[in-house]
Amino acid sequence: MLTPVDDTLAIVACNTCRFAPDQRENGSGIRGGAAFVAALLAVRASDPRYAGIAVQQMPCLFSCTEHCSVHLRAPGKVGYLLGRFQPDEDAARALLDYALAYGESEQGRVPFKQWPQGVKGHFIARLPPAGFVTDS
């Protein structure tokens, strides 16, 4: 059931997420999660600044009340579950930009003033790294 991946700065995207709250797939039969993964990979490939961010995917993050959900994680850092994205390149770029700042942070905390507009309102949960809890 578990597949090993590199333990690195990563966006783990649900590739089976709904396209929208009331729409499972787009007009071409593509799930929102699959479309978002494609957008993340396209934007990542278009800009060398994103080379250090892995885009990993798996079916179902169990965030089914949301759509286009991802888990942002890195070793020793607080992780985040984000969702409710449009599965397009603008959202992918905002998420990758946030991931850059997240990767440069000491423990996964990025000051709000550094958040790209495209990630504001998309945070669902904060997840402590293995062996830790947060104090604030």
Side-chain angles (χ1 to χ4, degrees):
M1 184 167 167
L2 295 175
T3 301
V5 293
D6 290 335
D7 189 17
T8 186
L9 171 60
I11 295 170
V12 181
C14 173
N15 58 15
T16 58
C17 269
R18 302 179 65 76
F19 193 80
D22 59 348
Q23 186 180 359
R24 182 177 167 166
E25 301 164 339
N26 67 10
S28 301
I30 298 172
R31 291 262 186 136
F36 199 34
V37 167
L40 285 163
L41 291 172
V43 173
R44 182 181 175 271
S46 74
D47 191 329
R49 295 180 308 130
Y50 303 133
I53 304 168
V55 175
Q56 301 165 346
Q57 57 183 306
M58 62 180 269
C60 200
L61 289 175
F62 280 32
S63 179
C64 301
T65 59
E66 310 300 336
H67 62 281
C68 293
S69 295
V70 300
H71 177 206
L72 178 60
R73 65 182 182 183
K77 296 183 188 232
V78 171
Y80 297 96
L81 177 65
L82 298 94
R84 302 180 300 272
F85 288 104
Q86 292 298 314
D88 60 27
E89 291 189 3
D90 289 339
R93 187 171 316 284
L95 184 56
L96 286 161
D97 285 343
Y98 182 83
L100 285 175
Y102 169 82
E104 293 170 0
S105 71
E106 186 178 336
Q107 296 178 347
R109 292 184 182 166
V110 177
F112 183 77
K113 65 183 177 184
Q114 293 179 14
W115 293 14
Q117 187 62 38
V119 300
K120 293 177 180 176
H122 293 274
F123 287 83
I124 299 167
R126 177 172 67 154
L127 310 165
F132 294 91
V133 293
T134 65
D135 56 10
S136 62

